Amino acid sequence: MPPELSVVLAAVALPFIAAVCTPVLYRLLGERTGYAGVAVALASFLLLASQRGTEGTVGLEWVPSLDIALRFYLDGWGLLFAMLACGIGTLIFLYSPAYMHGEPHLTRFYTALLAFMGSIVGVALAADLIAIFLFWELTSLCSFVLIGHYTADDSSKYAARMAMFITVGGGLFLLVGLLLLSVVAGDVVGTDAAFNLAAMLENPEAIAEGLRERGLFLPVLGLLAIGAGTKSAQVPLHFWLPNAMAAPTPVSAFLHSATMVKVGVYFIGRMRPILVGEEWLFLFATLGLTTMTVCAVMAVAATDIKELLAYSTASHLGLMVAGFGFTSIYGAETGVFHLLNHALFKATLFLVAGIVAHEAGTRNIDKLGGLRQDLPITAIITVIVALSMAGIPPFNGFYSKELLFEAAVEASHHHDIGALGWLYPAVAVFGSVFTVLYSLRFLSLFFGDRPEELGHIHRPSTTLVIAPGVLAVLAAVVSVEPQLAVDVIVQSGLDATALEHHEMHVELPTSYSTPVGMSAVTIALGLAAYPFYGRIHGGINAALAAAPPIAANWWYDAVVGNLTGGGARIGDRIHNGLLRTYATWTLLGTCGLALAGFAAAGTVASSELIDFDATPAVALVLLVAVVAGLAVVRSESHIAGILTLSILGFMIAIFYILASAPDLALTQLVVETLVLLIFLLVIEEIPEYYEISLGKYARDAVVSLAVGATAFITVLVTTDARPEGRTDIARVYAEQAVPEGGGTNIVNVTLVDFRGFDTMGELVVVAMAAISILTLIVMRSGGDDE
Amino acid sequence: MTTVVMRTTARVVVPIILVVSISLFVEGHNLPGGGFIGGVLTTTAFAVIYLAFGLDFLERGVLGRDVDPGKEPSRDRVVVAYRRLFEYGLAIAVLSGLVPLLFGLPFLTQTFVIFEHVPIYGHVEIASALAFDFGVYCVVVGGLLTILSVVGAE
């Protein structure tokens, strides 16, 4: 059954429309704007829910000549992701008004949050490569605004810039990958499928085959992996995610748990049917398991509850990537099911962390403990979700982790991957041990002794508890009855990402198997190591302190710091405030680029131009021009120089007349006159003579020679490229000027009728030049009396 | 430059330049000329005025206002007028491009009508491109005069 275009469009557009209306809403509702967000997110959620069970493409034309469309493709996978974003979004909006009470810039906050949600829904449903890229980068932009919400705070700005730098940069790799993909798809499936992801998903083998034939399979796979990996915080570019905890907690919950960071995982799942293969297994299973382990270890080293959760998110993203990396059906099951499970438990945990920070006033793990007496309901919620994160049976995280173990073991059976065959399961277990450790540590905030210095903790308001409560109930339902979640949504998501159809069954294991043994080892090791948590925590931190290059943050700071410093130094040299320097660099840069372009293209001027026969009149005019040019250089005063320069200009105008181009001649004459007058107007202010050093004379001579030579070569080369006789365009313009434009002056008809859009662009340039000169002068003369 | 010869010449020449520039603009569709050239020539006329009578002449002599020497050049009434001129010119050009959309034609589509037997003129052609060209004229005149007077005042 095909989806309804209007319903899908409404679901994607609603958040954006609401985002635009936020300033008005905020004026009407004040801090309760969040509840309007609840309505919008819920509406989008219900609209999407009504499309459950449908599959197909709907779309609007966008750039028909390139076959780019605002195309949406609905299937179980996209729907699962979009509904997660809207569903969790609803709860975030419910949670925000109480949490953000009294904070500044709420209009911007809600606008960005709504647009963020909308762009994630857009990525999930878009089936056009260009649309995917646009929505993808839009999520990065919105997250930049959200992470940098506290604009006065340096760490917030640093984190926002880092997230933007990494994710937008990764997005550019993705763009290149998508363009390569579109070229191949256009060749293989047909030109109308060049940007159409839905059409590619219908012919996955043909696309993969086409990519391999052209030797583009590995480049495309690598580029898409970089894009998805930066977005989903895979090692070694995982460090932006923990830094992003500078954002307000509702944003962290939304960004880390459900949505933006999972866009990469989502995309890997989306491309899985097309690109899956040996390389795929090697790349993503290795990448995912490394990320999972490194970030789990880093989470144990964390001292801040949000930092712990952020590293844990990156670790779980690694788990999902590794899941999709394994080519067996268990791999796809891991990815899809864990995406759902992780969203349920991690969003809850972040919201709980927000409650703790809000009510206890600190996020330092060492200063917190025994909170169950003060926050009993929150404690119950935390027990469910923290055990789920740890993967303890029968909580929901256990099932999807079990699937990962199954997939890792399966890979060693079915692929000849040498040592990796036992390394994959071993690393998966090793990383999971740390997962158990930090999950228990988070849980311990609510148990044990209550530190003395922890002051009175008041009860959180009801709206703060509802959102994590709802999520915890859902997590509990999935824990008790996992097959229910499978039937409702996971199975259809699996069908879209797996290679073959497979009925998914999830239940508690009743007999021994290798994955069950691995789980038992994981939990046993985790429990055994927990008493030594302090020592492990200290050990990891000591290692990090001893060798800073281990931390990816160090690399980022080193690279970005040097770039900024180098940029500033170069800038100081080029922008030293002297107009002469600016002109020198601009002119020399232009000459260099133009000449390098000709050299790279191997352009050679033909010899025919040399034996150009000029009439005596033309020869005379050109001779006068040359003499005038010499006179300009020799002239003693400015006035004489300008007047002789005008002779040169007027000679060129006469040359145009002789070459039967009256319009051009007219323009040249008029502009020449105007320039002469402007010079005369300005010249009164210029001193009669300058004292210029010999070095500057030499520099100016070199620059002017270079500019002249470039102009000369450009004219020589470009006029040479003119085809023999009239081109088609010239003929059509000449023939159609009177019947189509109603004018006998072809130049003017071309300007206003045939190429009106170009003229419009030139008008904008003139207007912009005038505005910028106004701005320049106004800004220079202070502008503080404005 | 404000010599008597210069001033006298300017008095005679400026009206001629203005008339020629307008005729260049109007005839542009069929003879050499058009909005751009007409606009530049009009600007030239103003430049001659500035050269002969000084930059404050228009404000003091024509508009009859006292010039406040401490004022920023961008606040002058003439400069504001020039700025408006190119703003409106841009608006005219864009609007003339938008009109065809009402008739379901692409942006910037132009057309023309020819009226025969008009008294005195006989054969008159009205091209919709004239509106667009008028926008071009206004932007060129407004933009160049803004630049000229602001830079000249420096």
Side-chain angles (χ1 to χ4, degrees):
Chain A
M1 197 173 71
E4 287 276 336
L5 172 64
S6 51
V7 175
V8 177
L9 268 186
V12 177
L14 252 179
F16 287 109
I17 295 170
V20 173
C21 300
T22 307
V24 181
L25 285 175
Y26 188 75
R27 207 163 290 167
L28 292 176
L29 301 171
E31 290 195 346
R32 282 165 303 181
T33 313
Y35 299 124
V38 173
V40 171
L42 196 62
S44 279
F45 181 81
L46 293 176
L47 285 172
L48 290 170
S50 73
Q51 298 299 305
R52 208 173 68 80
T54 62
E55 189 173 338
T57 320
V58 286
L60 293 177
E61 276 200 345
W62 183 8
V63 191
S65 52
L66 292 174
D67 201 55
I68 294 174
L70 204 57
R71 208 179 275 125
F72 296 104
Y73 177 65
L74 260 76
D75 65 354
W77 181 225
L79 212 54
L80 166 67
F81 194 66
M83 283 171 69
L84 259 186
C86 291
I88 304 237
T90 309
L91 297 170
I92 300 291
F93 280 114
L94 187 65
Y95 180 87
S96 295
Y99 187 85
M100 300 296 285
H101 175 66
E103 299 263 0
H105 310 307
L106 283 179
T107 320
R108 191 182 65 204
F109 175 76
Y110 285 119
T111 307
L113 205 58
L114 280 163
F116 188 56
M117 191 177 83
S119 37
I120 288 161
V121 176
V123 174
L125 301 181
D128 182 273
L129 298 185
I130 300 298
I132 289 176
F133 173 74
L134 284 182
F135 282 123
W136 181 286
E137 293 294 52
L138 205 51
T139 61
S140 296
L141 288 181
C142 295
S143 73
F144 171 73
V145 175
L146 289 171
I147 295 171
H149 179 73
Y150 299 113
T151 40
D153 182 13
D154 277 339
S155 70
S156 188
K157 284 192 275 191
Y158 172 77
R161 211 163 38 228
M162 179 190 275
M164 174 100 160
F165 191 61
I166 306 272
T167 58
V168 172
L172 298 179
F173 284 92
L174 178 86
L175 178 65
V176 177
L178 291 179
L179 290 178
L180 288 178
L181 190 64
S182 81
V183 170
V184 174
D187 283 356
V188 174
V189 187
T191 43
D192 56 336
F195 291 102
N196 187 343
L197 185 66
M200 294 179 207
L201 287 171
E202 278 165 20
N203 305 290
E205 287 96 3
I207 302 271
E209 193 58 35
L211 283 170
R212 280 185 199 283
E213 270 172 23
R214 288 164 181 74
L216 285 175
F217 188 84
L218 278 181
V220 167
L221 181 63
L223 288 165
L224 298 186
I226 292 174
T230 49
K231 201 73 157 177
S232 284
Q234 299 296 297
V235 166
L237 296 170
H238 60 287
F239 53 91
W240 72 265
L241 186 59
N243 278 299
M245 70 181 182
T249 301
V251 175
S252 303
F254 202 20
L255 184 130
H256 286 99
S257 65
T259 53
M260 176 175 133
V261 294
K262 284 211 184 90
V263 164
V265 174
Y266 164 79
F267 192 70
I268 291 173
R270 182 96 282 173
M271 300 310 287
R272 194 171 182 267
I274 298 179
L275 297 173
V276 76
E278 290 277 319
E279 300 95 334
W280 173 279
L281 166 77
F282 178 73
L283 175 64
F284 283 117
T286 311
L287 184 68
L289 285 174
T290 313
T291 306
M292 174 180 165
T293 310
V294 169
C295 293
V297 172
M298 293 299 291
V300 172
T303 50
D304 178 304
I305 47 177
K306 273 178 82 177
E307 190 188 357
L308 185 152
L309 291 176
Y311 272 119
S312 133
T313 300
S315 165
H316 282 272
L317 290 169
L319 195 161
M320 287 172 240
V321 169
F324 277 127
F326 291 116
T327 49
S328 59
I329 186 75
Y330 299 114
E333 287 182 349
T334 313
V336 179
F337 199 26
H338 201 68
L339 187 92
L340 175 70
N341 287 334
H342 177 255
L344 292 180
F345 68 67
K346 190 52 65 63
T348 320
L349 284 167
F350 265 108
L351 297 178
V352 166
I355 293 175
V356 169
H358 209 250
E359 310 303 339
T362 176
R363 295 198 322 226
N364 193 321
I365 298 177
D366 293 335
K367 291 188 182 150
L368 292 164
L371 292 171
R372 70 177 187 287
Q373 294 139 13
D374 303 288
L375 308 166
I377 303 171
T378 318
I380 297 170
I381 293 171
T382 312
V383 168
I384 300 173
V385 287
L387 291 179
S388 174
M389 175 162 78
I392 310 282
F395 293 96
N396 60 359
F398 167 74
Y399 301 106
S400 35
K401 178 131 49 126
E402 194 74 357
L403 286 167
L404 176 78
F405 288 161
E406 191 116 31
V409 173
E410 182 81 13
S412 59
H413 286 314
H414 284 87
H415 297 277
D416 185 20
I417 46 179
L420 287 176
W422 61 266
L423 206 55
Y424 281 155
V427 171
V429 169
F430 181 75
S432 302
V433 172
F434 283 89
T435 310
V436 175
L437 271 179
Y438 68 69
S439 303
L440 292 178
R441 185 71 184 104
F442 190 87
L443 197 55
S444 73
L445 299 179
F446 290 85
F447 297 93
D449 297 326
R450 193 172 182 282
E452 284 302 313
E453 64 271 21
L454 208 57
H456 172 68
I457 294 174
H458 39 87
R459 289 284 169 87
S461 68
T462 328
T463 48
L464 276 182
V465 188
I466 290 177
V470 170
L471 285 167
V473 167
L474 286 174
V477 169
V478 177
S479 304
V480 177
E481 199 54 61
Q483 194 59 38
L484 187 69
V486 170
D487 292 340
V488 170
I489 188 82
V490 176
Q491 177 69 52
S492 57
L494 177 68
D495 290 341
T497 56
L499 303 176
E500 71 273 22
H501 181 74
H502 178 85
E503 284 295 328
M504 184 172 171
H505 289 289
V506 185
E507 55 188 3
L508 278 178
T510 47
S511 60
Y512 178 80
S513 63
T514 319
V516 173
M518 287 160 76
S519 277
V521 169
T522 307
I523 295 165
L525 277 179
L527 288 174
Y530 185 70
F532 309 103
Y533 190 91
R535 244 184 271 172
I536 301 171
H537 172 84
I540 301 167
N541 276 325
L544 284 175
I550 297 180
N553 236 350
W554 185 87
W555 289 102
Y556 173 84
D557 288 338
V559 171
V560 173
N562 281 333
L563 279 180
T564 327
R569 273 195 299 281
I570 295 176
D572 285 344
R573 281 192 66 79
I574 297 179
H575 286 204
N576 62 356
L578 288 176
L579 214 54
R580 268 169 184 278
T581 323
Y582 292 10
T584 310
W585 283 102
T586 313
L587 290 173
L588 284 181
T590 314
C591 294
L593 286 174
L595 293 178
F598 294 136
T603 328
V604 186
S606 81
S607 52
E608 278 174 42
L609 282 167
I610 310 297
D611 47 66
F612 164 76
D613 51 324
T615 59
V618 171
L620 186 67
V621 166
L622 292 182
L623 192 68
V624 175
V626 170
V627 172
L630 290 174
V632 173
V633 184
R634 305 269 317 139
S635 67
E636 288 289 312
S637 74
H638 293 301
I639 301 245
I642 289 162
L643 289 175
T644 39
L645 192 63
S646 307
I647 299 178
L648 186 63
F650 285 115
M651 284 308 127
I652 293 173
I654 296 173
F655 173 72
Y656 286 144
I657 295 174
L658 293 175
S660 36
D663 263 282
L664 215 50
L666 200 52
T667 313
Q668 172 75 21
L669 275 177
V670 173
V671 171
E672 194 60 48
T673 314
L674 184 61
V675 169
L676 175 69
L677 288 174
I678 292 176
F679 266 132
L680 289 178
L681 203 63
V682 175
I683 212 151
E684 288 173 311
E685 304 295 320
I686 296 178
E688 199 85 356
Y689 293 103
Y690 291 111
E691 280 297 322
I692 302 179
S693 69
L694 200 64
K696 281 185 180 156
Y697 258 125
R699 185 195 64 183
D700 291 355
V702 168
V703 171
S704 40
L705 279 179
V707 172
T710 310
F712 180 72
I713 292 173
T714 307
V715 170
L716 210 59
V717 167
T718 47
T719 47
D720 182 41
R722 185 177 53 192
E724 286 302 308
R726 280 173 162 187
T727 61
D728 285 346
I729 292 176
R731 201 170 30 80
V732 169
Y733 278 8
E735 282 169 5
Q736 298 298 320
V738 176
E740 290 276 324
T744 49
N745 178 3
I746 303 173
V747 176
N748 191 261
V749 171
T750 308
L751 282 177
V752 295
D753 289 67
F754 296 152
R755 310 295 303 259
F757 209 72
D758 293 3
T759 313
M760 179 80 85
E762 284 151 22
L763 289 190
V764 175
V765 171
V766 172
M768 270 194 320
I771 291 171
S772 30
I773 285 177
L774 265 180
T775 318
L776 197 73
I777 305 273
V778 170
M779 277 173 69
R780 201 184 52 176
S781 46
D784 23 36
D785 53 357
E786 298 261 332
Chain B
M1 289 285 164
T2 52
T3 56
V4 177
V5 177
M6 183 75 196
R7 289 186 178 200
T8 317
T9 316
R11 271 180 219 280
V12 179
V13 165
V14 166
I16 299 174
I17 298 179
L18 285 176
V19 170
V20 171
S21 77
I22 290 169
S23 86
L24 273 182
F25 161 65
V26 175
E27 278 299 322
H29 217 46
N30 290 310
L31 295 169
F36 183 79
I37 299 176
V40 177
L41 199 57
T42 308
T43 314
T44 310
F46 278 83
V48 170
I49 294 177
Y50 282 148
L51 203 57
F53 298 96
L55 275 174
D56 296 333
F57 172 73
L58 280 185
E59 188 119 346
R60 200 188 305 120
V62 178
L63 300 174
R65 289 159 53 89
D66 284 332
V67 177
D68 175 7
K71 209 166 53 169
E72 290 167 22
S74 55
R75 290 276 171 281
D76 278 356
R77 248 185 57 181
V78 277
V79 174
V80 173
Y82 298 153
R83 217 174 60 202
R84 288 229 179 92
L85 188 63
F86 79 71
E87 285 164 4
Y88 291 153
L90 204 56
I92 290 169
V94 173
L95 285 178
S96 80
L98 288 176
V99 170
L101 295 183
L102 298 180
F103 302 99
L105 294 166
F107 182 60
L108 275 174
T109 308
Q110 308 289 3
T111 184
F112 62 96
V113 277
I114 295 175
F115 298 100
E116 301 286 354
H117 311 298
V118 179
I120 304 171
Y121 289 100
H123 172 99
V124 171
E125 179 196 336
I126 303 288
S128 68
L130 198 67
F132 181 71
D133 223 12
F134 184 63
V136 176
Y137 178 85
C138 292
V139 172
V140 170
V141 173
L144 291 185
L145 281 179
T146 308
I147 297 173
L148 186 66
S149 46
V150 172
V151 173
E154 288 293 305

